Amino acid sequence: MRFDVITLFPEMFAALTDYGITRRAHEQGLWRLATWNPRDFTTDAHRTVDDRPFGGGPGMVMLAEPLALAVEAARGAQATPGRVIAFAPAGRPLTDARVKEWSSAGALTLVCGRYEGVDQRFLDACVDEVVSIGDFVMSGGEIAALALIDAIVRQLPGALKEASAADESFAAGLLDGPHYTRPEVWRGLGVPPVLLSGHHADIARWRREQALRITAERRPDLIEAARRQNLLSAADEKVLRVVSPGRKARI
Ligand code: SAM
């Protein structure tokens, strides 16, 4: 898979190419990265990429033309040009479903905003989707792009060494439960005995119960969504009646 990132700070993407699972997958050739700096698509001596907002107000706005030229160059370098995604707090929330959908795209172009954001006409003319990674404001879209690329790369076949992404949060509609490792007692705190029992069916049941409990506590919206998708069994509903007795369970 190929990612073309439009960014004023291409060095930030070494966080993916130089570390961990994404680095290994990059070395294996599972994904490749090209960065495009909007400054390289300016024509003035100062390589200007921003200007004051029409209508007044604080901050600067990224110019449409250098961004459009960068996107066109990036898409021109893709064998089959893929979707163009920009980042903004006002975008649609990024979800596991979107990550999985995009992981089968051959190429994506990601546009990282800075300053107060980018000229709306560029978004209207050149961008397919605007994505938010949460209800907070960062200084730029680079961290959002890093998060999206990392999440997609984990989904690429061969990227994860052992544990499959199928066991992780959201894969079955629930959050992941707690994990423990050696020593058996750490600072006086033990490990749930079932995990030491060697009884695989009991361990699997306990893990499912923990996932249900944590999801019901922290993200009741995910429990409702799992119900709508018929992902919960009668045994799951029984667990939910105990861990969140206040909530009405539909079986
Ligand atoms: N004026 C914008 C607003 O109030 O929504 C904030 C602009 S922010 C300071 C600069 C850039 O950071 C945005 O254009 C976007 O690319 C990126 N950004 C900031 N927070 C983000 C978030 N939660 N999700 C995705 N991108 C974000």
Side-chain angles (χ1 to χ4, degrees):
M1 172 148 189
R2 172 181 174 125
F3 297 93
D4 289 272
V5 182
I6 316 300
T7 172
L8 292 172
F9 300 105
E11 300 81 8
M12 289 179 73
F13 290 83
L16 291 175
T17 54
D18 293 10
Y19 300 95
I21 287 171
T22 51
R23 172 191 176 152
R24 198 174 53 235
H26 191 248
E27 285 168 357
Q28 287 172 336
L30 297 180
W31 66 284
R32 55 174 301 211
L33 171 76
T35 55
W36 306 81
N37 191 330
R39 289 198 195 284
D40 296 335
F41 297 88
T42 55
T43 48
D44 64 316
H46 300 292
R47 306 175 80 210
T48 307
V49 292
D50 60 337
D51 207 335
R52 288 185 308 251
F54 280 130
M60 302 293 272
V61 176
M62 289 186 83
L63 297 168
E65 186 61 8
L67 289 173
L69 291 173
V71 165
E72 282 156 16
R75 297 187 86 232
Q78 295 169 357
T80 307
R83 297 180 77 71
V84 181
I85 298 168
F87 298 99
R92 288 185 202 284
L94 182 60
T95 62
D96 187 56
R98 304 298 276 142
V99 166
K100 290 200 171 106
E101 182 189 328
W102 288 329
S103 67
S104 55
L108 288 177
T109 302
L110 308 180
V111 183
C112 305
R114 282 270 155 181
Y115 316 119
E116 281 306 311
V118 307
D119 190 308
Q120 183 63 37
R121 292 166 296 180
F122 162 75
L123 296 175
D124 294 342
C126 305
V127 169
D128 296 308
E129 306 194 37
V130 183
V131 167
S132 164
I133 64 161
D135 292 346
F136 45 80
V137 178
M138 300 179 293
S139 314
E142 284 76 10
I143 291 174
L146 289 165
L148 177 59
I149 296 172
D150 186 312
I152 290 177
V153 168
R154 294 175 65 77
Q155 296 294 328
L156 299 177
L160 295 187
K161 239 197 249 166
E162 349 164 335
S164 106
D167 291 335
E168 292 185 313
S169 286
F170 308 111
L174 301 177
L175 300 178
D176 196 11
H179 299 274
Y180 298 87
T181 186
R182 271 175 274 275
E184 276 184 37
V185 178
W186 174 77
R187 297 192 178 184
L189 300 171
V191 169
V194 65
L195 297 179
L196 308 173
S197 69
H199 195 294
H200 298 300
D202 285 356
I203 292 171
R205 195 174 314 115
W206 181 85
R207 287 192 168 139
R208 181 79 181 172
E209 287 170 10
Q210 295 303 309
L212 288 163
R213 177 181 62 77
I214 286 172
T215 310
E217 278 171 16
R218 299 179 190 169
R219 294 289 305 275
D221 58 307
L222 292 180
I223 295 287
E224 291 304 329
R227 280 199 181 109
R228 284 196 297 277
Q229 294 169 65
N230 291 322
L231 295 175
L232 300 183
S233 66
D236 291 336
E237 293 291 3
K238 210 168 149 190
V239 172
L240 286 169
R241 280 196 292 275
V242 176
V243 297
S244 56
R247 302 188 68 80
K248 272 204 193 118
R250 272 182 276 128
I251 302 181

